[in-house]
Amino acid sequence: MLGYSANELKSMGIADITHPDDVKLSFNQLRNLKEGTKDRVTFEKRFVRKNGSLLHGRLSATANRDARGALTSTVSIVEDITATKKAEARLAEHQDELVHAQRIATLGELVSGIAHELNQPLTAIENFASGSIRRLREPQADLGLINDTLAKVVNQTRRASEVIRHLRDLSRSGASHFAPVDVNRIVKGAVELIAMGARPGEYDIALQLSPSMPDVMADAIQIEQVILNLVRNAGDAMASMPVSDRRDIVSSATNGAHVIVSVIDHGCGVHRDHADKLFDSFFTTKHDGIGMGLSICRWIMENHDGRIWHTANPNGGTTFRVELVRADLERGPTATAGS
Ligand code: ADP
């Protein structure tokens, strides 16, 4: 099985035929037989063949004992499960490739949308500006009309620079740096940033953070960007309400293997016809909106093997939730963003 002769094996120990990372496991399992805590053990380990290649084996060992219970010999059977293990690894790799391809597709869709979205204001700016030049050359130039047209140029320029601002946010999300992070700290940082930008009394953000939160494996800047976006949107949803009624809650909690951050607002709510479109690139209902915020949030959450979704509150308003996997249970992001 391993390529050694019976004679060669006689002079070899467990460590000589075992992958270094599995030596401790092998000794621990066999100690159970020696010390009498178990009469039979079954475990999987990697053997090293004489030619250096690996053999994945399922080893079952049974103890033979004398009348006093002392170990006299062990009988071991090794089943070669290398082919099964290789098939499992191939499947996992294939699944990772699929997830990666899906992320690239989402990013590609976003980027081609951005190109389209930038092209529109640029074309408009060109038309308005050349129209104004033509009018200025006329002997009786209508300065009022030219003034209006130039105001439109300014508007379109603002729109283009807003798209570029989002693009910069996105490129900041490009190279991911995953590390165990405390979600509560990220939430507090994001809310502080918002509070610094808000005018006094503009709205009230209450924090309901669970005191004992496990770390999540995440890119802190990207997750902060998600929270910032959700809290800003919550503020926008309450913009038409009296200042005294504007309040939202950011809460954190653990739910099994996951950590969940919720942003709960008491704003206008999501129209039934729009509920499925919110995360689409460039979907917006705001007159000055771009519609990239939530699609970037969705992309970031996919990059974290996490989720983002929204539900209507029973008493009005909307709750957006983001779900991340606890760092102690995380098997690691399957692909690096932008790679
Ligand atoms: P933008 O803020 O530029 O419109 P987003 O992608 O962040 O882009 O949001 C898309 C749309 O989702 C918004 O225009 C709005 O209609 C809806 N939306 C997002 N958050 C909320 C919320 N908290 N309450 C109601 N509607 C929301």
Side-chain angles (χ1 to χ4, degrees), residues 38-57:
K38 283 183 185 165
D39 282 331
R40 185 188 161 94
V41 291
T42 302
F43 61 98
E44 290 178 9
K45 62 177 275 188
R46 285 161 294 175
F47 292 90
V48 183
R49 294 193 184 94
K50 189 175 182 178
N51 66 10
S53 65
L54 287 184
L55 180 147
H56 288 266

Side-chain angles (χ1 to χ4, degrees), residues 233-234 237 265 269-270 278 283-286 289-294 318 320:
N233 276 345
D265 69 57
V270 175
L278 297 199
F283 173 80
T284 183
T285 55
K286 301 173 193 168
I290 299 289
M292 284 181 70
L294 286 179
T318 314
F320 277 82

Side-chain angles (χ1 to χ4, degrees), residues 201-206 238 243-249 264:
E202 199 167 15
Y203 61 93
D204 182 29
I205 305 172
M238 297 184 292
V243 171
S244 55
D245 292 348
R246 289 183 209 168
R247 74 208 133 86
D248 60 23
I249 302 169
I264 306 152

Side-chain angles (χ1 to χ4, degrees), residues 68-79:
R68 284 175 295 136
L71 185 73
T72 52
S73 63
T74 54
V75 179
S76 301
I77 299 170
V78 177
E79 184 190 349

